[in-house]
Amino acid sequence: MDWDFFIELGLGGLTRGSIYALIAIGYTMVYGIIELINFAHGEIYMLGAFTGLIVAGVMGIYGFPAVAILLMAIVIAVLYCAAYGYTMEKVAYKPLRGAARLSPLISAIGMSLFLQNYIILAQTSDFLPFPALIPDFEFMEPIAHIFGSTDLVIVVASASSMAALTLFIKFTKLGKAMRATAQNRKMAMLLGINADKIISTTFIIGSSLAALGGVLISTHSGQLNFMIGFIAGVKAFTAAVLGGIGSIPGAMLGGLFLGLAESYAAGYISSDYEDVFAFSLLVIFLIFRPSGILGKAPVEKV
């Protein structure tokens, strides 16, 4: 067995899975709070990537160093997408909160198409190059052929963000209110928790993490277009379901699981079938373990 190849695939899957996990958290948080599958979440990821591209383009003209451009691109993309996520919740979902479950789902699909077409009109439908903003670290040279500097930055940034989110949810007052709202929204409201504020915060956090992922993966791949959000969004949704939708640790685990599974399938079988493999995995889980890896089967109250 070629262990170098095996390790290379594992590290590649770790990078890919980290991005899936960042996006999947947005899906699972929104579903956990209001039981809505936000199909426009992938487009927020795409919007973050385009915002980063615009910031990089402007700062590049003025000759700023690459690291400063990357940090500023991330900050502005996160702020812009957080505001977008907040606005999207107020405009497209809040008015439908008491409606039948199909209505917000259709609204989510409409928002997804709106954002795609907005980018086509405001930017272009063609692929655009994204500058390489992460320098090559000298200490990474011995393993640069299997795990580059951009891979390291993506994994570290994703792990740090997920750890910070876990601590926020577990120990802060707002995080505890989010958990209470996810468990029983009506009871949480009776106890004085502002559910509207919690829902808005959920969209802001999820959109911020998606924007971070959009900028990082774009500087890694070196290109972007208006469809990157759709593909990544569907994969991240798959990861959320695999991990157990509604569970934040499950979304992280599902993202890493899907990334590794895709990477090994592409390496040992064929990269042409990596999407087929990912969705086959989803079908298998939905048949044999619909609650996902860490999800709990719903208890029927009598």
Side-chain angles (χ1 to χ4, degrees):
M1 185 174 181
D2 187 347
W3 285 104
D4 286 342
F5 186 57
F6 181 82
I7 294 170
E8 181 181 354
L9 291 177
L11 293 172
L14 189 64
T15 304
R16 187 185 307 208
S18 298
I19 296 297
Y20 289 157
L22 276 180
I23 309 172
I25 286 172
Y27 278 107
T28 210
M29 286 181 72
V30 169
Y31 185 84
I33 299 287
I34 56 175
E35 296 188 346
L36 165 71
I37 298 172
N38 180 17
F39 281 114
H41 188 60
E43 274 59 49
I44 295 292
Y45 160 88
M46 176 266 294
L47 204 60
F50 270 95
T51 305
L53 177 65
I54 293 169
V55 174
V58 172
M59 293 184 71
I61 292 173
Y62 291 99
F64 283 89
V67 175
I69 295 174
L70 175 65
L71 293 175
M72 190 55 70
I74 289 174
V75 169
I76 294 179
V78 165
L79 291 175
Y80 185 72
C81 289
Y84 225 100
Y86 176 83
T87 307
M88 183 170 68
E89 190 273 326
K90 295 297 181 192
V91 172
Y93 303 139
K94 187 178 178 183
L96 299 173
R97 204 164 288 166
R101 295 187 66 176
L102 192 59
S103 300
L105 199 64
I106 293 171
S107 183
I109 294 171
M111 280 304 300
S112 171
L113 294 173
F114 168 79
L115 290 174
Q116 286 180 16
N117 285 278
Y118 166 68
I119 289 296
I120 292 173
L121 291 172
Q123 297 293 320
T124 175
S125 60
D126 299 327
F127 272 96
L128 293 175
F130 197 99
L133 300 176
I134 300 174
D136 293 328
F137 305 131
E138 288 186 14
F139 67 90
M140 294 291 292
E141 281 186 6
I143 59 169
H145 59 291
I146 58 172
F147 194 69
S149 300
T150 55
D151 297 292
L152 179 68
V153 170
I154 288 172
V155 172
V156 170
S158 302
S160 304
S161 303
M162 288 186 273
L165 177 64
T166 302
L167 294 174
F168 172 79
I169 296 289
K170 196 168 184 179
F171 295 111
T172 66
K173 188 177 177 182
L174 191 56
K176 290 175 183 175
M178 291 174 77
R179 281 193 286 155
T181 307
Q183 199 169 33
N184 190 324
R185 193 181 351 156
K186 288 182 180 175
M187 181 59 73
M189 291 170 70
L190 286 174
L191 294 173
I193 293 174
N194 187 339
D196 286 339
K197 180 182 173 185
I198 297 301
I199 293 169
S200 298
T201 306
T202 302
F203 273 86
I204 288 171
I205 293 174
S207 300
S208 301
L209 292 176
L212 172 64
V215 175
L216 290 177
I217 202 66
S218 296
T219 193
H220 178 66
S221 64
Q223 62 178 3
L224 76 171
N225 82 337
F226 73 100
M227 282 300 289
I228 62 169
F230 175 76
I231 298 167
V234 172
K235 294 285 185 70
F237 173 68
T238 302
V241 173
L242 293 182
I245 193 158
S247 164
I248 293 176
M252 300 174 189
L253 186 62
L256 294 176
F257 181 72
L258 182 63
L260 289 169
E262 268 192 6
S263 183
Y264 283 117
Y268 286 114
I269 302 174
S270 170
S271 59
D272 294 336
Y273 300 110
E274 66 176 34
D275 292 344
V276 175
F277 190 80
F279 296 124
S280 300
L281 209 57
L282 174 64
V283 172
I284 292 169
F285 263 75
L286 287 175
I287 293 173
F288 295 104
R289 191 171 172 77
S291 57
I293 299 171
L294 297 184
K296 295 177 182 176
V299 178
E300 190 174 345
K301 297 178 181 176
V302 294

